[in-house]
Amino acid sequence: MTWGIMVFLAVGSKVITRKLEMGLKRSRWQNLLEIVVTAIETQIHEVGLEDPKKYLGFLGTLFLFVAVAAVCTVFPGYESPTASLSTTTALALSVFVAVPFFGIEEGGIKNYLKSYIEPTVIMLPFNIVSELSRTLALAVRLFGNMMSGGMIVGILLSITPFIFPVVMTVLGLLTGMVQAYIFSILAAVYIAAATRVSKPKAA
């Protein structure tokens, strides 16, 4: 399912962007794409990242992957990859790698590593534990929320009439979109914190 969603997103983006227009006459798909990209850029900027385009590829892909994984739950026989701990761990690890990557890119490796011992060297183990624990929290939060929604629908299908699980499925879609938003925003917040502390101080 994970690879299927990745292929779907890659092919879909290629198809939508193959005939982009600069004039007033644009396709519906281009309009939809521009709305999504603009909304993601706005959210990235509001988190505190000064150049949203720099982080759009990473954070936008995270959001779209989790969102599409949630939307596809309406199809029978589909199992959301975000309800698997291995997939959510991979997503969290990508954030874990991206935070120092963007932090080092913004202010250099010296300034980034220096942030681990501020305001004092005693903070070094606490900052390292913080990095690891927030990665684990990202994975477990997404996994728990997505898996619990699927389990609730499955239980209701076995003990109640058909209408109630349909309502729960719609609520599950809403929950999935909220989880996609929260996951992406938390990733943006972590990156913003890393880039902010790693900027060299003005003399």
Side-chain angles (χ1 to χ4, degrees), residues 131-202:
E131 290 276 340
L132 297 172
S133 62
R134 74 185 183 191
T135 302
L136 178 64
L138 267 178
V140 172
R141 179 188 292 114
L142 183 61
F143 166 71
N145 288 327
M146 299 307 287
M147 187 189 70
S148 62
M151 289 181 67
I152 289 170
V153 171
I155 292 168
L156 290 174
L157 273 171
S158 62
I159 61 175
T160 61
F162 182 70
I163 301 298
F164 192 62
V166 169
V167 174
M168 290 302 297
T169 301
V170 173
L171 289 174
L173 287 176
L174 178 62
T175 303
M177 296 304 289
V178 169
Q179 290 307 315
Y181 176 77
I182 290 172
F183 191 89
S184 304
I185 288 297
L186 284 175
V189 167
Y190 297 156
I191 291 170
T195 56
R196 193 169 293 120
V197 297
S198 61
K199 281 184 181 176
K201 293 178 182 176

Side-chain angles (χ1 to χ4, degrees), residues 25 29 43 45 73 85 91 106 120 162 197 199 201:
K25 189 177 181 181
W29 287 111
Q43 289 299 314
H45 182 71
T73 55
L85 190 56
L91 290 170
E106 187 69 34
T120 176
F162 182 70
V197 297
K199 281 184 181 176
K201 293 178 182 176

Side-chain angles (χ1 to χ4, degrees), residues 18-35:
R18 66 181 174 174
K19 291 182 181 179
L20 295 178
E21 297 290 338
M22 297 294 290
L24 295 175
K25 189 177 181 181
R26 301 175 185 179
S27 67
R28 292 178 182 177
W29 287 111
Q30 183 174 343
N31 285 332
L32 176 63
L33 179 66
E34 289 183 9
I35 289 169

Side-chain angles (χ1 to χ4, degrees), residues 10 98 116 127:
Y116 280 91
N127 286 327

